[in-house]
Amino acid sequence: MADFFTRNIIIIYFFYGLSFFVMGLAILLESGHSSKLDFARALRALIWFGLIHGCHEWLEMFLIMRSQISGSNNPPWILPVRLIALATSFLFLIAFGARLITGVEKRNLYIAMLSVITAIWVIGLLGVLFNQSTAQTRGVAADVYTRYALAIPGAALTVWGLILQRRRFINIGMPAIGRDVLFAAVAFGIYGISQLFANPSIIFPSGFVNFQVFLRWFGFPVQVLRAGAATMAAVFITRSLRAFEVESNQRIEELRDAQVAEQERLDALKAELLHRTVIAQESERQRIARELHDETGQTLTALGMGLRGMSEMIATNRNRAIEQANQLEKLAMDGVEELQRMVSGLHPPQLDDLGLLAALRWYANDINTRFGITVNIVNHGAKQQLSSDIRSVVFRIAQEAITNVVRHANASVIDIQLDYSADNIYLRVEDNGQGFNTDVVLKKKPGKPTAWGLLGMVERAALVSGTCNILSHPGKGTLIEVNVPIIGETNHD
């Protein structure tokens, strides 16, 4: 059996190198996936371990083939090339294991582990090279020392890191991937143990535990064990790459659930807003009916009674009839003014006839007259083309903001800014009132009334693809900022 494996050692080296090279290539092809897993970031180091170590084993294979064909010694430059390739691959294996253990957060610990292991290897390697007399003995001793100082610690760190990663996969609902990395950990453990059986040299314990001893114990070269471990590691590491697909599916499912939950929230909010809109409409109708009854109705009743009395008075007391006619005329004018005020409150004619800015100034003057609150209005930029929808939305938001100030803010001054630009209209309403906590008022909680007026302003802005930001702090007033795009509008403000 030993003679069979010895005769076919080239094939063993080929599959040994092929296993690690294919593993590195497979990881490289999957490395484009976006992932939040520490495992994904650690795999970047394993790519280079697989590719470089696979090439190293193929180099060993070609050197054996060259020796068998030509019988000549290897050129001098082969020794440093082999050693650099071997050490580099094992350093990437150490980086892989260290990254699995420390994760992305403990970057300083990760760098410290790499630095300490590398420093120990460099110092020991210099001692080995300076204590050997010939290039052949230096090459063998350096190879053995590199396997002891880098390969075995790298395999041990990888085993530890993969076991930790298995727990993380189980915790995030990927038990199958956890089993794959556990088998990969077993493979790397076997691979690390196989590095003990290196070439005989002065490096302890290679004089007692080496590949010759392994061949006597088990009847086949240690390269067979390494090739088997490499194949096992490649298979299960490649299988573990399914974690990216599983993670993507989980993220898609989470996004879908979040989208459904958000849609349900929006549907509930729209239903509630619709309900509130109906209630507001009914309340407005009741208010209009009450004002018509109390104001206009009483005015008309008074006019009717006055005209009836005046018709009886004309024949008996003409002067008194003229005086009463004047009173009735004034009463009619007051009724017309009250009716005009009511109609203007529903939809100011200035909004259509004169534009948004004129309507805001009219409403500000009305608020100042009725409630004694100073309302300052400034505007910048030339008037742009606005549709009736945008005019109504911006005016209603300003109206609602001012109404809230009158009702709740206990303010004395309201500052309004209206700016036009080429593609946007900006409204700013700020008061010096008592303010409120937006996190408390705007966040819906069970048993707490919702600030539908404030939410309505946000919804109105969204209807015309705009935004409405509400900023307030207790004791510091309230600021309403509205931005509405006006690209493509054709109706003049």
Side-chain angles (χ1 to χ4, degrees):
M1 179 66 70
D3 292 339
F4 171 79
F5 286 115
T6 303
R7 289 194 303 269
N8 295 280
I9 193 68
I10 293 176
I11 298 176
I12 294 172
Y13 270 109
F14 174 76
F15 283 104
Y16 180 12
L18 181 65
S19 296
F20 277 137
F21 190 87
V22 169
M23 179 187 71
L25 189 60
I27 300 172
L28 179 63
L29 294 175
E30 293 290 330
S31 61
H33 288 279
S34 175
S35 176
K36 297 181 180 180
L37 299 173
D38 291 339
F39 184 64
R41 296 173 175 85
L43 283 174
R44 297 168 188 168
L46 197 60
I47 293 173
W48 296 107
F49 165 74
L51 296 178
I52 296 173
H53 200 70
C55 290
H56 173 270
E57 299 311 317
W58 283 339
L59 177 61
E60 293 279 356
M61 178 187 70
F62 284 117
L63 292 177
I64 295 172
M65 293 172 60
R66 181 178 182 276
S67 177
Q68 291 178 353
I69 294 172
S70 64
S72 59
N73 294 327
N74 296 322
W77 56 267
I78 287 294
L79 174 62
V81 169
R82 288 171 58 188
L83 183 62
I84 291 172
L86 187 68
T88 303
S89 67
F90 289 147
L91 285 172
F92 278 114
L93 183 63
I94 291 171
F96 172 64
R99 176 64 79 187
L100 287 178
I101 294 170
T102 61
V104 179
E105 296 80 9
K106 300 178 182 178
R107 180 176 176 83
N108 292 335
L109 178 59
Y110 167 74
I111 295 175
M113 293 174 68
L114 287 180
S115 302
V116 169
I117 295 175
T118 303
I120 293 174
W121 171 70
V122 170
I123 294 171
L125 181 65
L126 292 175
V128 169
L129 295 177
F130 284 118
N131 284 315
Q132 301 299 307
S133 58
T134 66
Q136 182 66 27
T137 57
R138 282 198 297 269
V140 173
D143 180 278
V144 173
Y145 176 72
T146 298
R147 294 179 186 274
Y148 285 176
L150 296 181
I152 295 176
L157 290 174
T158 298
V159 170
W160 182 13
L162 288 173
I163 291 174
L164 293 176
Q165 194 63 46
R166 171 181 174 268
R167 297 176 186 171
R168 294 169 189 161
F169 278 128
I170 293 175
N171 291 336
I172 62 176
M174 300 184 189
I177 309 299
R179 286 193 297 270
D180 289 336
V181 297
L182 180 61
F183 284 122
V186 173
F188 277 107
I190 296 172
Y191 179 75
I193 294 172
S194 72
Q195 298 300 322
L196 284 170
F197 300 93
N199 292 314
S201 70
I202 65 167
I203 306 298
F204 180 83
S206 64
F208 308 97
V209 180
N210 50 58
F211 76 91
Q212 296 173 348
V213 174
F214 185 91
L215 185 62
R216 288 199 305 269
W217 286 356
F218 300 101
F220 59 88
V222 70
Q223 287 81 4
V224 175
L225 180 63
R226 292 174 184 171
T231 302
M232 182 178 176
V235 168
F236 286 104
I237 286 294
T238 304
R239 281 173 56 88
S240 69
L241 298 179
R242 293 178 295 126
F244 300 142
E245 181 182 356
V246 176
E247 182 192 19
S248 297
N249 292 336
Q250 288 181 345
R251 290 166 66 181
I252 291 172
E253 191 65 28
E254 290 174 358
L255 289 174
R256 185 181 295 112
D257 292 342
Q259 185 179 18
V260 170
E262 180 65 14
Q263 187 61 46
E264 291 177 350
R265 188 189 70 83
L266 289 176
D267 290 343
L269 182 60
K270 287 180 179 178
E272 186 66 25
L273 284 173
L274 179 60
H275 175 66
R276 293 288 174 173
T277 300
V278 172
I279 293 176
Q281 288 176 342
E282 292 301 319
S283 299
E284 185 68 10
R285 288 169 180 169
Q286 291 176 1
R287 182 186 68 82
I288 294 172
R290 192 165 48 248
E291 290 190 6
L292 286 173
H293 178 271
D294 295 343
E295 301 292 339
T296 309
Q298 290 182 8
T299 299
L300 293 175
T301 301
L303 281 172
M305 295 176 63
L307 289 172
R308 190 181 309 114
M310 188 179 65
S311 64
E312 298 174 354
M313 194 180 301
I314 290 177
T316 58
N317 191 343
R318 183 178 179 82
N319 292 333
R320 176 60 181 161
I322 293 173
E323 181 181 349
Q324 188 167 347
N326 292 332
Q327 292 176 352
L328 291 176
E329 181 183 6
K330 183 177 182 302
L331 182 62
M333 292 299 297
D334 292 341
V336 170
E337 290 179 1
E338 182 64 26
L339 188 60
Q340 288 176 341
R341 185 189 65 78
M342 189 186 308
V343 171
S344 297
L346 295 175
H347 185 81
Q350 295 91 337
L351 192 59
D352 295 327
D353 299 337
L354 302 177
L356 176 60
L357 182 60
L360 287 175
R361 285 174 173 162
W362 165 82
Y363 191 69
N365 182 67
D366 184 61
I367 291 296
N368 177 259
T369 302
R370 293 166 59 193
F371 302 102
I373 299 176
T374 301
V375 183
N376 302 314
I377 297 181
V378 296
N379 74 292
H380 304 94
K383 291 184 179 181
Q384 299 295 321
Q385 297 175 340
L386 299 179
S387 68
S388 59
D389 290 341
I390 290 182
R391 287 200 304 268
S392 297
V393 163
V394 176
F395 178 78
R396 291 304 180 192
I397 292 175
Q399 187 180 42
E400 180 67 29
I402 295 172
T403 301
N404 286 337
V405 174
V406 173
R407 292 178 178 175
H408 310 294
N410 193 26
S412 59
V413 177
I414 302 174
D415 292 316
I416 299 177
Q417 179 180 338
L418 183 67
D419 294 343
Y420 295 94
S421 65
D423 56 0
N424 186 78
I425 184 169
Y426 171 74
L427 172 70
R428 175 189 176 99
V429 181
E430 186 174 12
D431 66 76
N432 64 345
Q434 60 191 8
F436 58 90
N437 189 326
T438 55
D439 292 335
V440 174
V441 174
L442 294 178
K443 192 172 183 180
K444 185 175 180 180
K445 294 181 179 179
K448 183 182 76 67
T450 304
W452 293 108
L454 298 175
L455 294 178
M457 292 193 294
V458 176
E459 288 294 321
R460 284 181 185 273
L463 290 175
V464 289
S465 302
T467 60
C468 177
N469 297 318
I470 302 171
L471 307 173
S472 185
H473 296 283
K476 296 184 179 180
T478 301
L479 171 64
I480 309 293
E481 289 186 309
V482 180
N483 281 283
V484 176
I486 56 176
I487 296 178
E489 298 298 334
T490 57
N491 296 328
H492 290 276
D493 183 12

